[in-house]
Amino acid sequence: MTSEPVISIKNLDHYFGQGQLRKQVLFDINLEINAGEIIIMTGPSGSGKTTLLTLVGGLRSAQSGSLQILGQELCGASAAQLTQARRSNGYIFQAHNLHGSLTALQNVKMGLELHNNMSSLQMKAQSAQMLEEVGLGDRLNYYPDDLSGGQKQRVAIARALVSHPKIVLADEPTAALDSKSGRDVVNLMQQLAKEQGCTILLVTHDNRILDIADRIVHMEDGKLVNDRAVVSAV
């Protein structure tokens, strides 16, 4: 028996603006992503990658076609439905988006704030454990200004994964990092995703990290023009 795809996109179109300024930015996108897959999305700037990522993440409502996340239809979804969908996701952005006035531990704990079935003590313990897993167990009480770029991005990964989300969405997570830090960060994402069984959809221009993907999808001019499996070298 095959399980339902985690992400199922069919005939998806998307527009920005209204009236005469209305412009189509996504054209007839069809894509299925299964549990545990790591999908990398490539393509030039302006090709629609980030727009598609925000729709999958429930950060804006899909307008036309079908976009199902964990079996829930998000096309035409209400604000409340989008909020509910976002609870299944972890987000990692190009800028780590950490709060400068909070410690690493407090930043990671924010990833659990939506989950009101946990006590503050449980949240703290789970956040500390997650920072341990990303190699920052000795930096729990450090503020972002006292961490390197790679360490900040590790805190961001810990925050994204601390709630054990079903889906992790990453937008250019290595763009601000040197090649070694970038490689460390994606290896970490890959390892933790496999351990937690979550699905990763990652947008990147960084050709050095394509080998972590199970599949690479390529976008151009708002269209999905290629979807291929990655053959690993033996």
Side-chain angles (χ1 to χ4, degrees):
M1 190 182 86
T2 56
S3 58
E4 289 289 303
V6 171
I7 298 169
S8 175
I9 304 172
K10 290 177 182 160
N11 311 119
L12 182 73
D13 295 330
H14 197 73
Y15 302 83
F16 285 149
Q18 301 291 329
Q20 291 184 325
L21 297 176
R22 192 169 188 246
K23 178 174 187 277
Q24 189 166 355
V25 290
L26 293 179
F27 299 80
D28 196 28
I29 304 290
N30 290 277
L31 179 65
E32 288 199 342
I33 300 175
N34 297 313
E37 277 195 296
I38 298 179
I39 307 295
I40 285 185
M41 191 158 37
T42 61
S45 293
S47 58
K49 305 184 302 297
T50 297
T51 300
L52 184 55
L53 201 69
T54 58
L55 290 172
V56 169
L59 298 173
R60 53 164 63 101
S61 183
Q63 299 160 341
S64 166
S66 173
L67 172 60
Q68 292 193 4
I69 308 298
L70 300 168
Q72 182 186 350
E73 180 59 64
L74 294 191
C75 197
S78 67
Q81 288 170 320
L82 291 176
T83 300
Q84 189 59 41
R86 288 197 289 272
R87 292 185 177 177
S88 305
N89 301 336
Y91 301 91
I92 303 166
F93 300 99
Q94 175 177 342
H96 43 76
N97 288 4
L98 301 180
H99 288 261
S101 60
L102 301 180
T103 63
L105 184 66
Q106 290 167 329
N107 267 289
V108 173
K109 190 164 162 264
M110 286 188 71
L112 293 170
E113 299 293 350
L114 283 173
H115 300 263
N116 46 20
N117 56 342
M118 295 178 78
S119 71
S120 185
L121 210 59
Q122 285 173 313
M123 288 185 191
K124 198 171 173 183
Q126 194 160 316
S127 301
Q129 170 66 30
M130 198 69 228
L131 281 165
E132 188 76 46
E133 288 186 34
V134 301
L136 293 175
D138 58 345
R139 298 281 192 279
L140 301 187
N141 298 313
Y142 280 57
Y143 289 91
D145 282 353
D146 301 320
L147 299 171
S148 69
Q151 288 171 333
K152 287 176 192 169
Q153 201 59 306
R154 283 167 180 251
V155 175
I157 290 172
R159 181 181 58 192
L161 291 173
V162 69
S163 64
H164 294 254
K166 299 277 197 311
I167 299 168
V168 170
L169 303 169
D171 195 2
E172 299 280 3
T174 64
L177 302 176
D178 61 54
S179 58
K180 182 183 184 310
S181 299
R183 167 53 64 180
D184 288 348
V185 157
V186 294
N187 284 349
L188 192 61
M189 285 173 63
Q190 182 183 37
Q191 173 202 332
L192 292 172
K194 293 296 182 200
E195 285 171 10
Q196 294 190 6
C198 72
T199 301
I200 293 183
L201 179 58
L202 187 157
V203 165
T204 191
H205 283 104
D206 188 348
N207 291 332
R208 301 166 302 189
I209 66 170
L210 298 183
D211 58 300
I212 72 151
D214 297 309
R215 276 157 56 208
I216 295 171
V217 298
H218 186 73
M219 289 192 72
E220 277 180 28
D221 301 322
K223 300 181 183 77
L224 208 55
V225 294
N226 197 357
D227 180 348
R228 63 183 175 86
V230 175
V231 183
S232 23
V234 179

